Amino acid sequence: MKRIVILRCLRSNNVCTGAACMRAFNTKSGAFARYGEEPLELEAYWSCNGCGDCHFKYQEGIEEKLERIIRLKPDAVHVGVCVKQRTQDGQVVTCKKIEEIC
């Protein structure tokens, strides 16, 4: 059995229900298709502490989150598509805070 963790962007909290990630996990579609028939267990569904004008005042809390995730000993950490941001010139880039966490 593979132990899976999903990381998402705090900014997405305004509009995201987590349904797309959960559907992909439960149906083993998208990034989860790689596991085939292997059983999966979702260990955590967590978010970063934000960036820019969207963040918790307690940024150090991310270290505690990371320690807790590491203690879970997941086989994989999947990162939601919500971590992608479109720049003013139309490029799609990964959030720098998420890159730091990863």
Side-chain angles (χ1 to χ4, degrees):
M1 176 178 301
K2 294 281 186 198
R3 299 163 54 93
I4 306 297
V5 168
I6 299 174
L7 171 60
R8 69 183 189 95
C9 174
L10 181 64
R11 287 181 177 270
S12 71
N13 196 48
N14 291 333
V15 296
C16 180
T17 64
C21 286
M22 292 294 99
R23 184 179 314 114
F25 177 82
N26 289 328
T27 62
K28 290 189 180 173
S29 58
F32 300 102
R34 71 183 77 171
Y35 299 106
E37 295 301 314
E38 187 169 6
L40 301 179
E41 185 173 287
L42 185 61
E43 295 293 315
Y45 183 79
W46 63 299
S47 66
C48 67
N49 282 11
C51 58
D53 61 349
C54 171
H55 62 83
F56 291 125
K57 292 182 191 244
Y58 182 52
Q59 284 295 323
E60 296 79 24
I62 199 66
E63 295 296 327
E64 183 178 339
K65 284 183 181 182
L66 288 169
E67 289 170 9
R68 292 175 72 191
I69 294 297
I70 290 167
R71 281 196 303 266
L72 291 172
K73 298 182 181 180
D75 294 298
V77 177
H78 285 260
V79 180
V81 297
C82 57
V83 305
K84 300 288 184 183
Q85 300 172 347
R86 189 170 300 276
T87 62
Q88 288 181 345
D89 62 358
Q91 287 184 305
V92 178
V93 296
T94 301
C95 170
K96 298 298 180 200
K97 289 285 185 188
I98 296 291
E99 285 182 354
E100 288 174 25
I101 291 169
C102 292

